Amino acid sequence: EMKQLGDAYIRSEFKLHKSATNAHHIDQFMSEWRNYLEHIQSTANEKKAGDAKFGRSLPLDVEKLDQEKQMTLAKLKDEA
């Protein structure tokens, strides 16, 4: 069930960014997905070794987000 949710989320993210034209945004998007892939692979390897630790805290520098993303974040916090 979690795999289906994750697969749907990833498909959605890539579809949303498929038409991106800003090279900086594309590079950032791909860099973050590469980091995520490395983390998942590392976690899977740790799980095989019996040392798996799932999840990690991510720093959030709200100031670095563009105006639209800051507004979206504020809206999500209000709804929570």
Side-chain angles (χ1 to χ4, degrees):
E1 189 171 308
M2 291 302 290
K3 182 181 182 328
Q4 291 173 339
L5 178 63
D7 289 350
Y9 175 74
I10 290 170
R11 274 191 220 98
S12 172
E13 282 294 301
F14 275 88
K15 283 180 184 177
L16 287 171
H17 292 83
K18 187 176 182 178
S19 60
T21 57
N22 183 312
H24 175 70
H25 291 161
I26 294 168
D27 289 343
Q28 240 181 339
F29 178 79
M30 293 307 295
S31 175
E32 289 303 318
W33 277 106
R34 274 190 223 95
N35 290 341
Y36 177 70
L37 175 61
E38 289 171 12
H39 174 72
I40 294 298
Q41 288 173 330
S42 172
T43 301
N45 290 336
E46 290 171 1
K47 184 176 180 182
K48 287 179 186 175
D51 299 328
K53 297 176 186 112
F54 292 95
R56 63 182 166 145
S57 296
L58 299 174
L60 179 60
D61 294 331
V62 175
E63 305 83 38
K64 292 182 181 179
L65 298 175
D66 64 35
Q67 181 87 19
E68 181 183 352
K69 287 184 177 55
Q70 287 181 20
M71 290 172 56
T72 301
L73 181 60
K75 181 181 174 185
L76 289 170
K77 285 181 179 179
D78 289 343
E79 291 175 1

